[in-house]
């Protein structure tokens, strides 16, 4: 039996804005979040708006979270690992329940239940799917061995188990032949983790000061017929920027199939099925994705098995109105980005808060996208689009003037605020506000 709180204890709790911890052995939860970093922020949002009066569980197997939108700066060694990675304790609300065993074996959306590998089963009123895309490094034979090797010059947006790889350097080469691989859409970090435009700016400067040999080339192996999956406008911008450099070759509809770490050779296959093997002095590999077995087996995935089909306005699953998804997990026909995902998370936050109070979910996502693409040593371009405005790209501006010290002082601090501040979200927007929905049933009370 729980110990009765004294008036003094209640006063201190009110004064310090703390809430009671939620047990991890309940039979039913109002909200269950299968998530990564933004899912952790949602737990703060739910706790804040319900004043700790609803039962929330957060499930994730990740030991740390990456701020993938600034990965090119991390690879460039302008920021350290401590600046780039976040611990779950920084993003998940301390009062939220965490399962002892986070391994899920089954989701039954028809009965709103989740089963864990230890045999425990819980019921949810609403469920959030935000666990990102499932990496499939095994699609490229020898890739993981090359990535984790001490000396093989292969780097990726997938973190290596070899800490020395972080110090191998960002620039693709000082001489010889370099390769960048863009796998089939969708894959994690599309556009935001592209670093080759920044590299090309380095090469141009390096040639001027004699650091980069005139004898070099860059080949972009692209498994798709474009650079941007859902924006011809953005794709054209990237193509034009790449076309400004004569020593860049782009191979479209071509898949990287093998990397040999001992001989520094890679093999790719063209659209016609022809196989080519090349020596490389450096290779950067964006990691392919594969179907999410849990979502497929639970009947929650789309036809590809990789993402979740959602209503593009409410972000509810097309077949289950108490399941929501956003970010790279959701199958939305637009360019995904950090800012877009945050806007989507506010729609999900509001609609779930409505739903657990038995009100009608009424927040609508307006296809708001704001995406940063690093285009030079100290510059980026920002792509913006929404239902109310045409696609546009602004060049320069905020980061054009950033240098090393300014990046450490203000840039990373700003991005951390997006993730872990009291009002997590785009700094100028804070929490998106939506109207209250109408009551559709009795209000659900706290169960414990």
């Amino acid at each position: 039996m729980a110990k009765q709180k004294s008036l003094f204890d209640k006063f201190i709790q009110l004064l310090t804005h703390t809430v009671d911890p939620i047990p991890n052995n309940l039979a039913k939860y109002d909200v269950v979040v299968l998530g990564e970093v933004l899912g952790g922020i949602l737990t703060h949002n739910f706790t804040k708006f319900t004043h700790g009066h609803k039962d929330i569980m957060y499930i994730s197997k990740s030991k740390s979270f990456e701020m993938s939108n600034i990965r090119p700066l991390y690879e460039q060694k302008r920021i350290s690992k401590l600046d780039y990675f976040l611990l779950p304790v920084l993003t998940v609300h301390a009062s939220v329940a965490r399962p002892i065993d986070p391994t899920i074996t089954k989701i039954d959306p028809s009965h709103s239940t989740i089963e864990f590998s230890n045999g425990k089963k819980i019921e949810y009123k609403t469920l959030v799917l935000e666990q990102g895309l499932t990496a499939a490094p095994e699609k490229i034979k020898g890739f993981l061995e090359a990535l984790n090797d001490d000396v093989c010059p292969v780097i990726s947006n997938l973190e290596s188990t070899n800490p020395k790889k972080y110090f191998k350097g960002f620039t693709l080469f000082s001489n010889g032949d370099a390769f960048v691989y863009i796998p089939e859409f969708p894959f994690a970090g599309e556009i935001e983790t592209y670093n080759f435009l920044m590299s090309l700016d380095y090469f141009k400067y390096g040639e001027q000061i004699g650091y980069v040999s005139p004898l070099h080339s860059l080949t972009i192996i692209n498994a798709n017929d474009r650079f941007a999956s859902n924006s011809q406008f953005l794709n054209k911008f990237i193509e034009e920027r790449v076309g400004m450099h004569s020593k860049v070759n782009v191979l479209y509809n071509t898949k990287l199939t093998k990397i040999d770490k001992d001989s520094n050779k890679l093999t790719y296959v063209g659209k016609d099925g022809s196989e080519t093997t090349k020596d490389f002095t450096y290779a950067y590999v964006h990691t392919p994705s594969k179907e999410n077995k849990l979502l497929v087996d639970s009947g929650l995935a789309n036809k590809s098995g990789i993402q979740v089909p959602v209503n593009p306005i409410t972000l509810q699953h097309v077949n289950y109105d108490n399941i929501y998804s956003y970010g790279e997990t959701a199958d939305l026909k637009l360019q995904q980005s950090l800012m877009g995902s945050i806007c989507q998370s506010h729609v999900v936050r509001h609609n779930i808060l409505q739903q657990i109070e038995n009100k009608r979910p009424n927040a609508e996502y307006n296809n708001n996208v704001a995406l940063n693409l690093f285009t030079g040593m100290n510059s980026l371009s920002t792509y913006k689009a929404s239902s109310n405005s045409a696609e546009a790209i602004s060049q320069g501006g905020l980061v054009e003037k950033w240098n090393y010290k300014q990046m450490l002082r203000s840039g990373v601090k700003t991005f951390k605020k997006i993730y872990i501040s009291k009002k997590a979200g785009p700094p100028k927007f804070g929490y998106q506000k939506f109207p209250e929905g109408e009551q559709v049933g009795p209000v659900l009370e706290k169960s414990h």
Side-chain angles (χ1 to χ4, degrees), residues 79-288:
I79 56 177
S80 70
K81 284 197 172 186
L82 293 177
D83 292 316
Y84 175 67
F85 287 96
L86 297 173
L87 297 176
V89 70
L90 295 176
T91 61
V92 181
H93 197 278
S95 71
V96 170
R98 302 286 299 270
I100 297 175
D101 179 4
T103 305
I104 299 174
T105 56
K106 182 180 179 182
I107 300 173
D108 183 351
S110 298
H111 297 89
S112 298
T113 59
I114 295 174
E115 294 181 27
F116 297 90
S117 60
N118 60 5
K120 181 177 174 58
K121 180 188 288 189
I122 63 170
E123 187 178 348
Y124 58 84
K125 184 169 186 181
T126 54
L127 175 65
V128 180
L129 301 173
E130 186 258 343
Q131 64 271 61
L133 300 177
T134 305
E138 67 276 7
K139 285 188 174 183
I140 305 169
K141 185 178 180 181
F143 167 43
L144 277 181
E145 292 81 359
L147 178 63
N148 297 326
D149 186 75
D150 278 343
V151 297
C152 185
V154 170
I155 298 182
S156 173
N157 64 328
L158 181 68
E159 197 67 13
S160 172
T161 59
N162 185 344
K164 294 180 181 179
K165 278 298 175 85
Y166 172 65
F167 298 101
K168 289 297 182 182
F170 170 80
T171 52
L172 289 180
F173 50 70
S174 57
N175 59 76
D177 301 312
F179 293 82
V180 170
Y181 180 54
I182 299 175
E184 288 180 290
F185 301 132
F187 64 90
E190 181 194 336
I191 305 293
E192 286 188 318
T193 59
Y194 285 178
N195 58 23
F196 49 85
L197 293 178
M198 183 185 285
S199 293
L200 290 171
D201 200 38
Y202 267 99
F203 303 157
K204 184 178 179 180
Y205 176 72
E207 286 181 320
Q208 293 173 353
I209 64 173
Y211 172 73
V212 173
S213 166
L215 301 176
H216 70 262
S217 69
L218 171 63
T219 300
I220 300 175
I221 303 171
N222 192 339
N224 314 284
D225 59 2
R226 58 197 184 280
F227 285 103
S229 59
N230 287 295
S231 171
Q232 181 55 38
F233 184 85
L234 182 56
N235 176 66
K236 183 179 179 182
F237 172 79
I238 297 174
E239 286 183 339
E240 289 177 350
R241 294 297 294 243
V242 170
M244 294 167 58
H245 301 269
S246 60
K247 296 179 180 179
V248 180
N249 181 33
V250 182
L251 304 175
Y252 292 103
N253 299 307
T254 303
K255 293 182 181 180
L256 179 64
T257 58
K258 180 181 178 181
I259 298 176
D260 188 327
K261 70 178 182 64
D262 297 319
S263 63
N264 280 12
K265 293 181 182 292
L266 55 79
T267 302
Y268 53 84
V269 176
K271 185 178 181 180
D272 60 358
S274 60
E275 187 175 88
T276 304
T277 299
K278 293 278 189 178
D279 295 313
F280 67 91
T281 53
Y282 185 104
Y284 189 97
V285 179
H286 292 274
T287 310

Side-chain angles (χ1 to χ4, degrees), residues 293-308:
K293 189 175 186 304
L294 174 64
L295 297 181
V296 171
D297 292 346
S298 301
L300 294 173
N302 59 9
K303 291 181 179 180
S304 71
I306 296 176
Q307 293 175 301
V308 175

